[in-house]
Amino acid sequence: MSRYTVGIDIGTTGTKTVLLDTTGGIVATASRENALHSPAPGFAEADTGQWYDNVIGSIREVLSTTGIAPELVAAIATSGMVPAVIAVDGDGNPLRRAILQNDARAHREVTALAENLSTVDLVTLTGSALTQQSVAPTTVWLREHEPDVYARTAHWVGSYDWVLSALGAPVHVEQNWALESGLFTVDGDSADAVLNAAALDPGTLPQVLRPGTRVGELSRRAAEATGLRPGTALVVGGADHVLSAFAAGVNNPGDALVKLGGAGDILVASDTKVVDERLYLDAHPVPGHWLPNGCMATSGSLIRWFQALIGGPGSVELTTLDDEAADRRPAEVLCLPYFLGEKSPLHDPDLRGVFAGMHLGHTRADMYRSVLEAIAFGFRHHVDVFGEIGVPLTRVMITNGGSKSTLWKQIHADVLGLEMHPVRGHPGASLGAAVIAAIGVGALDDWSDAARFITLDTPYAPDPARRDAYDTAYATWRDLGAAMTPISHAIARTTR
């Protein structure tokens, strides 16, 4: 008899649910939109009630479209963005809307805490520097601006952990929320120096659990709402980018994933814990493995900006731009892709975007190609850093919307000097969650079983001639970035 599991991904713009047949693969998917709330400049919030309704509705949809009997569904696991912050009371009920990971309200608190922690090596202690993404500054902001909420907060939890609790699990946080929050050490203990600096009660930190842990059972209330059986196992899932990589086959040391989404992510599997201030560090779902990774501020978002700049999606399709740019010479125009500043490996919000080397003979095709190349150069910068810290890439998968572009995949192969393996129809973190749910209840025997649900298309191999041209252009691109940094900073100061 087949055993089915449900995987749910809580994203910034939508909720996606998959129903997985553990013997045959995905049998149904359902999606719902999530609204982003920004009540003040720099604020990014989401309604947990909408998350819950979307989860309930999408589970009901995958059951109804397949006719699968509820008793055949063995487990549910969740994934989502990190580190979103949800303040909950003693019963696990949210006290306000969730504050998302890209929320920038606590910038003054970041500065103040950084001064208080100036003698602490936070990268070694927690795995990452203190940034707007850190949870401690957000809790300080809430204490100052929403004291009633702060006073009633029993625990701080993340997006996907809260959803699992709303379905019936006890309050907890998953290992990578803990790691990315900055409230815990790399080894999972509370980061007392950070808690003391933020005057944060250690008792508000929930238990930290690993992916694959069976943590609870579906409540009768949630079962009636979803149509599933009360007592269905609830299994700890994980962070969206981690489970997306896991579901794309990034499991053995040297496996890597390049995600061409709105931002640009690159994750590499490692069997050693590597901490570097230029990168982020996450725990791989497979025990004992790690995922050092980087995230660039722009990727697909820069392409969409350029598309809108020259006329918009209705007038110029990306496939047309691809065709035009395919005939242009590599790297005649250089672009610095820092139109939203830059996250890793530079961590500099005051960098600015640049087009360089243009003359009157250049066209939109040259500029468009330079945008595609700029993102690939940014990934190569990360590959250089990975090499410096002893984490070489041996097999690279490529996913998300940008991976539909044949030209962009070839440019990445040429710039990185590595074969790029497209993942066919990659459903992302929701599949990773469904696989982990199956592992948690023994419906799959081993973490390596995830490979059964992955199909790789024919890889894109580097072209030696273009590879040499890009080696030279990349060196110039790095020099351009260094030369423009003080100018970008000066412009940022005058326009802030």
Side-chain angles (χ1 to χ4, degrees):
M1 179 182 293
S2 296
R3 298 184 72 186
Y4 297 85
T5 60
V6 172
I8 303 163
D9 178 31
I10 308 298
T12 304
T13 59
T15 296
K16 183 173 183 179
T17 296
V18 304
L19 181 63
L20 177 71
D21 179 346
T22 59
T23 63
I26 293 174
V27 294
T29 65
S31 298
R32 298 287 190 280
E33 289 187 3
N34 294 335
L36 177 66
H37 299 269
S38 186
F43 286 32
E45 300 181 351
D47 182 358
T48 56
Q50 184 184 50
W51 287 349
Y52 183 79
D53 291 344
N54 284 346
V55 167
I56 298 300
S58 59
I59 291 176
R60 294 190 71 87
E61 181 178 337
V62 296
L63 290 177
S64 65
T65 56
T66 59
I68 299 299
E71 60 269 19
L72 295 181
V73 178
I76 301 169
T78 56
S79 178
M81 52 201 144
V82 286
V85 181
I86 305 171
V88 299
D89 63 19
D91 295 322
N93 298 312
L95 296 170
R96 69 178 319 281
R97 286 195 296 230
I99 299 176
L100 304 184
Q101 70 283 352
N102 56 344
D103 186 280
R105 75 187 66 199
H107 56 93
R108 292 185 179 88
E109 289 75 13
V110 171
T111 301
L113 282 176
E115 291 176 358
N116 291 340
L117 292 164
S118 59
T119 61
V120 179
D121 184 352
L122 288 175
V123 173
T124 299
L125 179 68
T126 68
S128 59
L130 187 73
T131 69
Q132 290 180 173
Q133 186 170 282
S134 304
V135 171
T138 300
T139 67
V140 174
W141 188 95
L142 286 169
R143 184 171 65 233
E144 295 298 320
H145 294 84
E146 299 181 15
D148 179 62
V149 168
Y150 186 88
R152 296 165 57 203
T153 298
H155 294 292
W156 309 98
V157 299
S159 59
Y160 51 101
D161 303 315
W162 177 81
V163 167
L164 209 62
S165 294
L167 294 176
V171 173
H172 66 282
V173 290
E174 183 266 332
Q175 183 179 12
N176 279 311
W177 186 93
L179 191 59
E180 296 214 15
S181 73
L183 301 178
F184 296 83
T185 69
V186 175
D187 295 323
D189 301 319
S190 61
D192 293 337
V194 177
L195 301 186
N196 292 337
L200 190 61
D201 179 3
T204 59
L205 302 186
Q207 62 176 332
V208 179
L209 299 176
R210 278 197 50 80
T213 302
R214 184 169 178 166
V215 69
E217 297 181 344
L218 190 68
S219 69
R220 183 165 298 279
R221 170 179 174 268
E224 290 174 354
T226 59
L228 290 171
R229 177 180 54 83
T232 301
L234 300 177
V235 177
V236 177
D240 53 3
H241 60 297
V242 172
L243 297 199
S244 183
F246 171 62
V250 180
N251 295 312
N252 297 315
D255 285 346
L257 174 65
V258 168
K259 288 178 61 181
L260 300 177
D265 295 299
I266 181 168
L267 306 95
V268 188
S270 171
D271 55 6
T272 58
K273 188 188 307 178
V274 183
V275 176
D276 188 283
E277 64 182 359
R278 293 168 291 182
L279 302 172
Y280 305 102
L281 178 66
D282 287 292
H284 195 285
V286 177
H289 285 201
W290 297 86
L291 277 171
N293 62 87
C295 178
M296 300 187 301
T298 63
S299 177
S301 58
L302 179 56
I303 290 174
R304 291 298 182 184
W305 169 83
F306 181 78
Q307 183 186 28
L309 188 69
I310 61 171
S315 58
V316 185
E317 295 298 334
L318 292 179
T319 52
T320 300
L321 292 174
D322 273 5
D323 291 341
E324 292 176 1
D327 295 330
R328 311 307 292 179
R329 290 177 56 185
E332 271 214 359
V333 175
L334 293 181
C335 172
L336 296 179
Y338 310 135
F339 288 71
L340 290 174
E342 186 54 295
K343 297 175 73 174
S344 63
L346 298 173
H347 299 289
D348 190 341
D350 287 340
L351 293 180
R352 294 294 181 263
V354 172
F355 288 97
M358 297 186 66
H359 56 68
L360 292 179
H362 285 135
T363 68
R364 70 183 187 185
D366 297 288
M367 295 182 70
Y368 176 71
R369 184 174 186 116
S370 76
V371 168
L372 301 182
E373 292 166 341
I375 303 303
F377 287 149
F379 282 122
R380 180 162 174 180
H381 194 175
H382 283 85
V383 171
D384 286 353
V385 174
F386 288 128
E388 291 169 13
I389 63 176
V391 184
L393 282 64
T394 56
R395 186 178 68 135
V396 184
M397 276 64 74
I398 188 166
T399 64
N400 284 52
S403 66
K404 297 175 183 177
S405 167
T406 298
L407 174 62
W408 209 9
K409 284 180 286 195
Q410 186 61 56
I411 285 174
H412 276 86
D414 295 339
V415 169
L416 301 183
L418 297 165
E419 287 190 343
M420 309 299 294
H421 298 261
V423 182
R424 182 183 304 169
H426 184 47
S430 53
L431 173 59
V435 171
I436 286 177
I439 292 171
V441 295
L444 292 175
D445 296 327
D446 190 81
W447 295 96
S448 62
D449 286 338
R452 291 165 40 190
F453 308 109
I454 300 165
T455 301
L456 299 181
D457 285 330
T458 303
Y460 286 73
D463 179 275
R466 286 192 296 267
R467 168 66 174 165
D468 290 342
Y470 279 130
D471 281 345
T472 301
Y474 173 68
T476 305
W477 182 84
R478 291 290 301 273
D479 290 342
L480 175 65
M484 283 300 303
T485 294
I487 299 173
S488 289
H489 289 175
I491 293 172
R493 284 194 299 270
T494 61
T495 58
R496 185 174 291 121

